[in-house]
Amino acid sequence: MQMVMVAVGGFSMLEGILEQTRDWSSPFRELDDKLRKIGAASVANEFLAFRLAINVLKHGYGDSYERLLKKEGLPFRVKGKDQYFFDEGDVSEIPGLISVDVDFVHSCALAIEKAMTALRIPRSDV
């Protein structure tokens, strides 16, 4: 549960910081647009995958979940519609549609770092 809170919190903080420091009304949409305009589509795609995962962690089933199910080669596991567990018998597994572990949280942080670096947003702003 703590790792979910860290991952969700990181994206929420970034969203707020971009709203405040960049005056972006739709920070993640504008971040995606700017990354693609500078030729950083792979960074935008990676960030989008984690942003969708964060939405699923926050809201569960919905559009973000459906979009993730259609994506191939994700760097994290998404629970299928007919799947009850990621690892049956693992009593430490928390309920959820995204498998969240240390690697997931680290990858979220890296996706944020790559996006900020590609846009040359100083760390002091984030």
Side-chain angles (χ1 to χ4, degrees):
M1 182 81 79
Q2 290 172 337
M3 287 186 273
V4 171
M5 292 168 59
V6 169
V8 170
F11 272 77
S12 293
M13 286 185 65
L14 174 64
E15 184 176 32
I17 289 167
L18 291 175
E19 285 173 342
Q20 293 171 24
T21 63
R22 301 289 166 222
D23 199 28
W24 293 350
S25 59
S26 299
F28 290 149
R29 188 174 311 131
E30 293 182 55
L31 177 74
D32 187 79
D33 289 345
K34 292 190 184 314
L35 287 170
R36 292 181 193 286
K37 284 179 184 172
I38 65 167
S42 64
V43 173
N45 291 337
E46 180 180 6
F47 188 88
L48 174 61
F50 282 101
R51 183 172 61 85
L52 292 173
I54 295 299
N55 283 345
V56 171
L57 289 170
K58 290 175 12 183
H59 306 291
Y61 295 105
D63 182 57
S64 294
Y65 176 70
E66 295 298 327
R67 289 175 67 185
L68 283 176
L69 288 179
K70 294 175 185 173
K71 289 187 174 288
E72 294 182 19
L74 291 170
F76 51 84
R77 297 189 301 165
V78 179
K79 195 178 291 179
K81 289 182 180 182
D82 59 348
Q83 193 177 359
Y84 295 104
F85 304 99
F86 285 108
D87 298 306
E88 191 166 355
D90 180 356
V91 295
S92 67
E93 182 176 316
I94 63 168
L97 300 171
I98 305 293
S99 179
V100 178
D101 57 13
V102 172
D103 289 335
F104 177 84
V105 174
H106 186 261
S107 295
C108 282
L110 284 175
I112 290 170
E113 178 71 23
K114 287 177 188 176
M116 298 301 94
T117 300
L119 293 177
R120 295 189 172 120
I121 295 176
R123 287 183 184 198
S124 60
D125 284 358
V126 182

